[in-house]
Amino acid sequence: MKISNILQDSKVSESVTVSGWVVTCRKQKNMSFIKLNDGSCSEGIQLIWDEVDIGDSSQQNMIQTGCSITVEGVLVESPAKGQSVEVQVNKLTIIGSVDPDKYPLAKTRMNLDTLRNYLHLRSRTANFGNVFRIKSAISHGTHEFFKKERYLHLDPNIITVNECEGGAGVFQVTEHDLTDANKLPIKDGKYDWTKDHFGKPVFLTVSSQLQLEAISCGLGAVYTTNKSFRSEHSSTSKHVSEFTHLEIEDIFIELESLMNVGERYIKYICQYIQDNCNLEIEGLNGFISKGIKDRIETIKNATFHKITYKDAIKLLQSSDMKEKPNDGDDLSSESENWLTKHFDGPVFVTHWPINIKSFYMKQCDDGTCESFDLLMPYKIGELIGGSMREDSYDKLISIMKQKKIPENGLEFYTDLRKFGSVPHGGFGLGIDRLCMLFTGMENIKDVIPFPVQYKNCE
Ligand code: 4AD
Ligand code: MG
């Protein structure tokens, strides 16, 4: 039985069989205590016994932090505080032993940096158990939210021929082993893509948006939770090479309503986590992420401010910041943090100059585009990037020329503007950053089970 099921459904004096890993083991004269967890819940369960038949006495010594065991026993009320019930053990079997001298998590509490050396084991720790259960809840809540809002969930291809964002580095995909250059198909001094799997250069997608637009311009409200891949040469605490990318797209909407979907979604997830991960939040709040409980409540009730890029620049220029942005600049992390501090909450920065944004954004007459970035406090910075899409064929082609975006491979995209074009828009939200926001983890590598980052793919 899963420990979560026992805690929820089993009654005192019922017989139970529980399996899991030993979190701690305390042996006293006639009594032993084990804290056991199987990952199904935050709290685990306490086991106690006085005389248990677990074979010969040498086996007793094998019960060490990290070993896996199965016990049979009876659920009893716990006289001690910390838990309401515990298992009085009748039989204990060691399933997988550990050598305490070799098990990395045996004794000392490790900090997050050190734990990253043990990615395969860290989900057994209380903190990562809490973080990953919250991450799973974000995923469940996301699907629940978009189902309620009547979006279709469809994941487009990840291997693609277009670079979408332009600027965000792409990974090329090949079926060839590139180790020995002499064995590669070369024609006229260049790699001969016709000899590769797809017969042409292909990439891992940096965003599913373009395909999602095509699906939306037929089905309306759609979303994906695909992975996106970016070969940015940065190892900041907010960038990974592979991230979970919630992207939505809808037709006959406006920029304002798009932003409101983003706000509604984030607040929904706040509530969802509060309803489903109370113990996880308490666990993080009490130790590694003090204040996270209040943070979630604060975001749930926050005003999401809206300011145009132009006004944001004016504000920043009148600030006491050391390096102030000029009109036309992208916003640095410092500027993002300044703005969320100034407004004391989340801020949508809207109507960016088209020069520093992507080709597909709907152009306005004044050199800006119908776009927004959502900036979040708590040093998260940009959480969402979104826009209305350019739906005029002529304007799209002209800006593609200007930004040197090749039409080759994007015919499907420009076609959407040729045949029954409709106003539409969408956004992308980094789920891993959202998870940082809701767990208090300050490094994106600590919300991803196996993070992959520049110069770091273990
Ligand atoms: O702002 P971005 O680049 O927008 C797009 O990709 C659009 N095509 C989305 C759309 O309109 N459908 O990325 C969107 C979000 C960012 O705000 C950020 O939260 C996250 O994706 N993100 C990353 N997260 C982790 N690591 C990275 N390297 C990320 N790059 C972007
Ligand atoms: Mg962006």
Side-chain angles (χ1 to χ4, degrees):
M1 285 164 99
K2 295 270 184 214
I3 293 173
S4 57
N5 289 347
I6 291 175
L7 294 178
Q8 232 168 46
D9 306 328
S10 296
K11 309 226 159 28
V12 165
S13 73
E14 266 180 31
S15 295
V16 290
T17 302
V18 205
S19 303
W21 293 274
V22 172
V23 181
T24 53
C25 179
R26 253 182 323 126
K27 288 166 196 160
Q28 291 180 355
K29 234 191 206 157
N30 302 318
M31 193 85 105
S32 290
F33 299 87
I34 287 179
K35 185 80 181 183
L36 192 76
N37 208 343
D38 61 0
S40 63
C41 58
S42 188
E43 64 267 50
I45 198 160
Q46 174 154 283
L47 314 177
I48 52 163
W49 75 83
D50 24 39
E51 283 169 40
V52 192
D53 174 18
I54 61 158
D56 62 77
S57 62
S58 66
Q59 279 224 320
Q60 290 271 1
N61 296 327
M62 287 172 65
I63 305 172
Q64 302 283 351
T65 294
C67 78
S68 56
I69 60 173
T70 293
V71 301
E72 291 167 25
V74 179
L75 199 67
V76 296
E77 260 172 52
S78 176
K81 66 173 196 209
Q83 65 275 324
S84 59
V85 289
E86 56 196 23
V87 177
Q88 179 84 48
V89 177
N90 297 322
K91 182 159 191 249
L92 187 152
T93 313
I94 292 175
I95 307 292
S97 59
V98 293
D99 179 343
D101 294 330
K102 293 192 179 144
Y103 182 53
L105 310 186
K107 282 183 196 82
T108 45
R109 266 193 195 282
M110 279 184 201
N111 64 30
L112 295 173
D113 292 345
T114 316
L115 267 173
R116 269 180 233 130
N117 298 319
Y118 306 104
L119 294 179
H120 59 303
L121 295 174
R122 67 179 182 170
S123 53
R124 290 195 199 171
T125 65
N127 283 328
F128 282 94
N130 289 332
V131 168
F132 292 148
R133 273 189 296 272
I134 290 176
K135 189 159 197 191
S136 170
I138 291 174
S139 171
H140 289 159
T142 298
H143 294 301
E144 192 178 278
F145 174 83
F146 285 106
K147 187 171 178 216
K148 278 192 180 153
E149 299 248 339
R150 295 175 176 266
Y151 279 68
L152 300 182
H153 176 203
L154 294 158
D155 293 329
N157 54 313
I158 277 174
I159 297 178
T160 169
V161 293
N162 66 65
E163 301 184 30
C164 186
E165 288 306 297
V170 289
F171 292 103
Q172 282 198 324
V173 179
T174 173
E175 67 175 10
H176 285 133
D177 179 352
L178 305 181
T179 315
D180 186 350
N182 293 321
K183 289 190 182 150
L184 295 178
I186 303 288
K187 198 176 164 193
D188 303 333
K190 285 187 178 161
Y191 183 72
D192 185 2
W193 278 103
T194 62
K195 301 272 165 38
D196 209 311
H197 192 88
F198 298 102
K200 58 182 166 183
V202 293
F203 313 100
L204 292 181
T205 196
V206 298
S207 158
S208 302
Q209 176 197 322
L210 304 189
Q211 291 92 317
L212 211 55
E213 280 187 51
I215 304 170
S216 179
C217 291
L219 293 170
V222 292
Y223 76 102
T224 175
T225 52
N226 259 350
K227 289 279 183 88
S228 287
F229 303 85
R230 299 194 181 181
S231 72
E232 291 155 306
H233 288 195
S234 54
S235 343
T236 75
S237 58
K238 292 190 296 189
H239 289 88
V240 272
S241 312
E242 174 187 330
F243 65 98
T244 303
H245 203 176
L246 166 67
E247 295 187 90
I248 77 157
E249 204 65 36
D250 199 2
I251 52 173
F252 295 108
I253 44 155
E254 286 168 359
L255 194 68
E256 182 80 14
S257 55
L258 205 49
M259 287 188 275
N260 293 342
V261 176
E263 175 178 341
R264 243 185 358 263
Y265 164 72
I266 291 167
K267 290 182 170 174
Y268 188 90
I269 298 296
C270 289
Q271 185 66 55
Y272 192 90
I273 293 174
Q274 287 178 332
D275 291 345
N276 293 281
C277 301
N278 188 24
L279 288 171
E280 282 78 5
I281 297 168
E282 291 288 353
L284 292 173
N285 197 60
F287 179 52
I288 200 164
S289 307
K290 295 208 162 66
I292 193 68
K293 194 174 166 184
D294 287 345
R295 181 195 288 193
I296 296 171
E297 182 66 16
T298 304
I299 298 169
K300 194 175 80 178
N301 300 312
T303 302
F304 281 48
H305 300 270
K306 295 187 176 108
I307 181 172
T308 62
Y309 168 88
K310 219 180 184 127
D311 287 343
I313 292 288
K314 275 188 206 150
L315 259 180
L316 289 162
Q317 284 176 343
S318 66
S319 76
D320 53 1
M321 270 179 23
K322 264 198 214 114
E323 290 194 22
K324 300 177 181 111
N326 292 314
D327 198 5
D329 288 350
D330 208 346
L331 297 185
S332 63
S333 294
E334 202 195 351
S335 295
E336 291 177 350
N337 292 339
W338 189 91
L339 283 168
T340 54
K341 266 210 186 95
H342 177 80
F343 286 101
D344 193 22
V347 189
F348 284 106
V349 179
T350 71
H351 298 90
W352 292 66
I354 185 75
N355 284 341
I356 55 168
K357 287 291 186 192
S358 301
F359 73 98
Y360 52 71
M361 296 189 175
K362 188 169 174 67
Q363 299 159 49
C364 306
D365 295 336
D366 59 355
T368 67
C369 55
E370 286 194 41
S371 55
F372 69 86
D373 276 8
L374 173 63
L375 311 180
M376 292 306 276
Y378 310 104
K379 298 207 181 127
I380 298 294
E382 184 195 328
L383 178 65
I384 304 187
S387 75
M388 293 301 294
R389 319 306 189 189
E390 185 51 73
D391 51 62
S392 144
Y393 180 81
D394 293 340
K395 280 188 175 174
L396 183 66
I397 293 291
S398 132
I399 193 131
M400 282 170 69
K401 288 211 169 91
Q402 203 182 309
K403 286 188 182 275
K404 301 200 167 51
I405 308 283
E407 281 175 55
N408 192 3
L410 283 177
E411 295 83 357
F412 84 96
Y413 191 72
T414 51
D415 262 8
L416 301 173
R417 282 73 183 164
K418 253 196 221 162
F419 308 123
S421 187
V422 292
H424 65 285
F427 65 68
L429 176 151
I431 289 285
D432 310 292
R433 290 189 189 172
L434 188 69
C435 192
M436 290 168 75
L437 180 71
F438 289 145
T439 58
M441 293 295 109
E442 289 173 357
N443 193 317
I444 195 163
K445 289 193 267 189
D446 293 330
V447 295
I448 299 176
F450 293 93
V452 170
Q453 204 176 39
Y454 185 52
K455 300 281 185 207
N456 185 358
C457 183
E458 297 305 326

